[in-house]
Amino acid sequence: MFHHAKVLSSTSLFVLALAQGSVAFAQDTDEDSIIVIGQGASPLLEESATGSRLGISPMETPAAINVLDGEAIRARGDFGFIDAVTRAPGVSSSATPGNGGTALVVRGFSGQGSVTQLYNGVRLIPNNSSITFPFDTWNIDRIEVLNGPASVLYGQGSLGGVVNVVPKSANFERLEFQGQAGYGSFDTLHLAGGVSGPVAEGLAVRADASFRQSDGYVERGNSESLALSAAIEYRPSDRFSASLRHDFGHDQPMRYNGTPLADGTRLDTSIRHKNYDVADSVMDYKDHRTQLSIEWTPLDDVKFASSSFLFDSLRRWETLESYSWNTTTDLVSRTANTGIVHDVLQWGNQTSLSYKHQFGGGVNNQLLVGVDYNELKLKYSHNFDDVVNDTVDPYDFDPGSFLNTVGIEPRNRTHTAIYAAFLENRLELGEKLSIIAGLRYESDRVGRWNYVYDAAGETIIGEAPALNGGTASHKTFRDLTWRVGTVYQPTPNLSFYAQYATGVDPVGNLTSFSGSSAQYGFSNASGHQVEAGVKSVFLEGRGSATLAVYRLAKNDLTIQRSPLLPLEQIGKQSSQGIEASVSLQLPAGFAIEANGTVLDANYDDFSNENPLLDYTGNTPIDVPEVTGNATLTWSPIARLAVNTSLRYVGRRYMDQANAKEIPDYLVLDAGASFAITENLAVRLRLYNLFDKDYALASNYGRQWILGRPRSVDVAIRASF
């Protein structure tokens, strides 16, 4: 691993230096072209709300912000959210069916409790570590990733970073249509379309739809999804805008919980396509998102913004999901008969007011103050009393049916209320130097109750407090987070920055806080980060490069010194690393996007009186210490574009003892697009060109969720 780290670090720095010194220039590209070569204008110079609410660009923000363009995402054939977002520097996947297939790892910290996910700028609050929307990339305009603590912007659960999915907006200039139809390996079918345009003066609409189905690359691995979105936007003047949008997603992902490792340690490819779940298993997620946003600039220096939202999710799992393969007996033991339903409702509002003031002499100040309010209700149903322990032949077996004798019934409910006040301030000291600071105070009140049934166990007759061993119904967390940073821009296209930021992660998830009396007194985990970096745009916007170095630490980890002792909150985890990226549009129709990350992540304090259970110095679970991505595109003629995409993920561990390793992997995809006419193109995509067997994530510490084998997809795309 150290060799890989040295090579990737050196390569990243070399590419960054080469980019800064390059004098080549790119071919001009038509932004309306049906053939996608590069991203066009650098996103470093465009306004991004993910890193700041002050309306500034990533170049002006003292943090690492990376933007993935939606058209480039689709040109690479990344139809799923996880496939797309893990192209960003330092982002990898820890997605499993249990977390909704969306959990991420950023800067050494993993899961929904450390990496916040936003949709159109609004926080998606996880419950029981699960988020199931968005999953499709058809209606995505861009994905913005903020690496490092963002609790001062978005509250608890943002210590590792933030991912913001920004959907396409309405077209006020003309009527437009995009459509795509494709077919590929494993009987995969996908259809998508979108239409947008003005309907009256200052009024425009947009609608998108996407459907996918597949038989999957394991037995009984069929999947199906439908994503619908509609938006209406009103802009009567430059000073006022309002938008109302609704998004619906129905996702039935591949019903696959992983492939058991032989004796829990190694992959036997002879069972590569086996599925050990029951024949009638269910994974079904339905999500609705409604959002009303208003921006008003009553005066040149005053801006008001407000967004109200209502989200609901209904998720259902009926699976037999844990497998252990004993090669001595040559039997696979199946356990964890899991029936769960999440019935979730989230609503709230975030409102801010900003004011700009010019002091004279090149000194300007912008102050933003705001409030953030969220409520979330969860009704949690399960059948945990149904216990299954069976064994099957690993090669030839009857998958059986899901056992549900006690019923998947409501067992508890939770109610979480989040109130926050925040401010940001940017002080410009001339044209080259600025100082940005932020502050957020947040109060999170969590309530949990267990349902009480009658003697027959059929009818709910009441409810009882579920926290602190059943003696309390509520727990309140209060946290103050802040950040301060500076940006120096010797030219508008070059910036150096440094930042100190604090952050907060919850103990588990606030929406499903543990009922254990041992955990009732715990606080949220706190953390801090020191970061510095450089960003540059060159070649008249045809090239860009970034470099960031950081150290990030998290205190108050929850550990258990021995199985007989209570949980304690004394541990510490940290990471330090370097991230680099470069994007170039070169002569002769070439374009390249590449990034690399090298980090060192450790449990700094995970001590135990038993030396065998002392994990201090070990690498946290699911964290790769080296990752890299590269996409090379070549357009020898105007009608043709050929590209290759490479993804590298370093080794990871499945356990805190670092005894079970997931090997590193390198996957190469390739594709080509040919424009039949100026409005119609055909695309060919080859995935996993060398048919590499690799693990996307681990599950239960003894099975791997394997990535897709070599496959092909052919699609026709139309644009008018």
Side-chain angles (χ1 to χ4, degrees):
M1 189 276 291
F2 182 67
H3 172 70
H4 288 308
K6 287 172 56 181
V7 171
L8 187 56
S9 179
S10 300
T11 302
S12 300
L13 291 172
F14 172 74
V15 171
L16 185 66
L18 177 65
Q20 293 281 12
S22 176
V23 295
F25 58 90
Q27 292 180 337
D28 290 332
T29 59
D30 183 355
E31 292 183 359
D32 295 325
S33 173
I34 199 168
I35 299 295
V36 178
I37 301 174
Q39 288 196 149
S42 173
L44 289 176
L45 301 176
E46 298 178 356
E47 180 180 325
S48 169
T50 303
S52 171
R53 292 187 173 94
L54 297 173
I56 58 179
S57 69
M59 185 71 74
E60 300 166 311
T61 306
I65 302 172
N66 297 281
V67 181
L68 302 170
D69 177 73
E71 285 297 331
I73 287 171
R74 290 180 285 277
R76 278 192 294 261
D78 291 335
F79 299 121
F81 165 72
I82 286 291
D83 293 330
V85 72
T86 50
R87 301 284 187 183
V91 181
S92 60
S93 170
S94 59
T96 68
N99 56 48
T102 61
L104 299 169
V105 183
V106 180
R107 290 195 170 177
F109 293 84
S110 64
Q112 315 288 18
S114 290
V115 182
T116 292
Q117 295 183 31
L118 314 176
Y119 185 73
N120 203 26
V122 175
R123 178 166 52 156
L124 305 177
I125 299 177
N127 64 282
N128 293 81
S129 300
S130 299
I131 291 176
T132 51
F133 182 89
F135 51 84
D136 191 281
T137 62
W138 172 255
N139 79 327
I140 290 177
D141 177 71
R142 63 191 185 276
I143 299 176
E144 299 181 346
V145 181
L146 168 61
N147 290 24
S151 296
V152 72
L153 291 170
Y154 304 108
Q156 54 77 30
S158 308
L159 193 60
V162 168
V163 174
N164 183 20
V165 176
V166 181
K168 296 175 183 176
S169 58
N171 191 330
F172 280 80
E173 302 299 324
R174 64 178 180 86
L175 180 66
E176 63 173 347
F177 168 80
Q178 300 93 28
Q180 184 168 284
Y183 181 80
S185 302
F186 322 116
D187 283 334
T188 299
L189 172 69
H190 54 96
L191 304 169
V195 62
S196 179
V199 295
E201 184 68 26
L203 187 67
V205 297
R206 177 166 199 97
D208 289 278
S210 177
F211 173 78
R212 293 181 61 83
Q213 69 175 23
S214 177
D215 288 345
Y217 51 83
V218 297
E219 296 172 351
R220 306 182 314 282
N222 54 294
S223 63
E224 185 175 297
S225 68
L226 174 66
L228 304 172
S229 63
I232 181 168
E233 300 184 31
Y234 179 52
R235 300 178 191 170
S237 70
D238 293 338
R239 290 185 177 273
F240 182 85
S241 67
S243 65
L244 175 65
R245 66 173 300 116
H246 182 80
D247 297 272
F248 168 75
H250 185 193
D251 189 21
Q252 297 172 293
M254 187 167 66
R255 298 171 297 165
Y256 167 61
N257 289 285
T259 299
L261 302 176
D263 297 321
T265 60
R266 60 181 175 84
L267 176 66
D268 187 327
T269 56
S270 66
I271 62 169
R272 170 72 172 85
H273 302 287
K274 296 293 183 181
N275 187 352
Y276 294 88
D277 203 349
V278 291
D280 58 348
S281 65
V282 173
M283 295 182 193
D284 191 284
Y285 316 137
K286 293 180 181 178
D287 293 271
H288 290 268
R289 302 280 190 266
T290 303
Q291 183 175 345
L292 173 64
S293 300
I294 296 172
E295 289 190 0
W296 178 38
T297 308
L299 301 172
D300 290 342
D301 296 327
V302 177
K303 182 177 180 179
F304 172 85
S306 183
S307 184
S308 299
F309 44 88
L310 176 66
F311 304 159
D312 71 79
S313 299
L314 184 63
R315 309 169 186 146
R316 189 177 189 92
W317 293 265
E318 295 179 11
T319 65
L320 185 59
E321 58 189 33
S322 177
Y323 324 120
S324 179
W325 184 7
N326 185 330
T327 58
T328 301
T329 61
D330 208 20
L331 293 172
V332 172
S333 174
R334 303 190 302 173
T335 58
N337 182 77
T338 304
I340 294 175
V341 174
H342 294 170
D343 189 351
V344 188
L345 184 66
Q346 178 188 346
W347 68 95
N349 173 273
Q350 56 186 31
T351 296
S352 64
L353 182 68
S354 65
Y355 172 67
K356 296 180 180 179
H357 183 71
Q358 298 178 352
F359 291 101
V363 178
N364 304 310
N365 193 78
Q366 182 178 1
L367 173 66
L368 180 143
V369 295
V371 292
D372 195 348
Y373 162 69
N374 276 270
E375 283 198 58
L376 189 142
K377 289 185 177 181
L378 163 69
K379 182 183 289 184
Y380 186 82
S381 304
H382 66 76
N383 73 328
F384 290 170
D385 289 336
D386 274 329
V387 179
V388 173
N389 292 286
D390 72 353
T391 54
V392 297
D393 185 297
Y395 307 101
D396 185 17
F397 61 95
D398 178 1
S401 301
F402 182 73
L403 180 64
N404 187 19
T405 63
V406 302
I408 304 174
E409 303 293 343
R411 307 298 176 184
N412 62 69
R413 71 175 182 89
T414 69
H415 180 198
T416 302
I418 301 174
Y419 306 89
F422 56 86
L423 64 86
E424 280 190 87
N425 193 83
R426 182 173 186 244
L427 178 64
E428 296 178 73
L429 302 173
E431 297 181 352
K432 297 181 178 181
L433 183 65
S434 63
I435 299 172
I436 296 178
L439 185 71
R440 181 185 181 98
Y441 173 78
E442 181 169 304
S443 173
D444 308 317
R445 191 169 190 260
V446 183
R448 180 171 174 174
W449 300 263
N450 291 329
Y451 289 113
V452 179
Y453 282 80
D454 60 14
E458 298 177 350
T459 304
I460 297 174
I461 59 174
E463 59 185 30
L467 300 180
N468 198 18
T471 64
S473 58
H474 288 89
K475 165 78 174 181
T476 300
F477 299 87
R478 297 181 177 89
D479 295 288
L480 183 69
T481 54
W482 58 277
R483 72 172 182 177
V484 62
T486 184
V487 177
Y488 175 66
Q489 294 182 261
T491 72
N493 291 335
L494 176 64
S495 71
F496 300 89
Y497 74 90
Q499 178 185 220
Y500 182 89
T502 66
V504 173
D505 276 358
V507 181
N509 288 133
L510 287 183
T511 55
S512 48
F513 186 66
S514 171
S516 166
S517 57
Q519 295 188 38
Y520 186 74
F522 289 173
S523 63
N524 286 328
S526 62
H528 62 274
Q529 176 186 263
V530 178
E531 177 181 356
V534 58
K535 306 170 188 178
S536 178
V537 175
F538 44 91
L539 300 178
E540 298 181 343
R542 298 180 181 93
S544 64
T546 67
L547 178 69
V549 294
Y550 67 89
R551 174 172 170 78
L552 173 58
K554 176 179 177 179
N555 302 307
D556 307 315
L557 293 183
T558 302
I559 66 173
Q560 189 174 20
R561 295 185 181 277
S562 74
L564 299 179
L565 292 176
L567 291 171
E568 299 177 79
Q569 195 174 36
I570 62 170
K572 182 179 180 181
Q573 177 182 336
S574 71
S575 65
Q576 44 273 320
I578 181 172
E579 299 164 348
S581 70
V582 64
S583 176
L584 288 169
Q585 294 184 39
L586 298 169
F590 284 98
I592 184 171
E593 294 180 39
N595 63 69
T597 300
V598 178
L599 63 87
D600 179 25
N602 297 284
Y603 292 123
D604 297 295
D605 181 6
F606 212 123
S607 58
N608 196 292
E609 59 187 16
N610 182 348
L612 297 178
L613 300 177
D614 189 337
Y615 304 133
T616 300
N618 287 5
T619 302
I621 296 172
D622 293 331
V623 175
E625 294 190 310
V626 182
T627 60
N629 295 278
T631 298
L632 175 65
T633 304
W634 179 44
S635 182
I637 59 176
R639 288 177 175 265
L640 176 66
V642 181
N643 63 68
T644 59
S645 295
L646 178 149
R647 186 195 305 270
Y648 176 78
V649 177
R651 70 173 182 181
R652 294 153 288 165
Y653 293 103
M654 295 187 289
D655 62 336
Q656 293 167 334
N658 290 178
K660 298 180 179 180
E661 180 180 310
I662 306 174
D664 62 349
Y665 67 84
L666 182 69
V667 173
L668 180 68
D669 304 330
S673 297
F674 179 74
I676 301 171
T677 71
E678 63 179 9
N679 302 115
L680 190 67
V682 61
R683 287 179 176 173
L684 172 67
R685 191 70 184 168
L686 299 172
Y687 298 95
N688 195 358
L689 201 59
F690 299 115
D691 204 22
K692 171 76 173 179
D693 291 316
Y694 66 97
L696 291 169
S698 65
N699 207 10
Y700 283 93
R702 54 179 176 267
Q703 60 209 56
W704 289 352
I705 297 176
L706 299 175
R708 62 184 154 197
R710 183 167 49 222
S711 55
V712 61
D713 184 89
V714 179
I716 295 177
R717 183 191 179 201
S719 180
F720 300 93

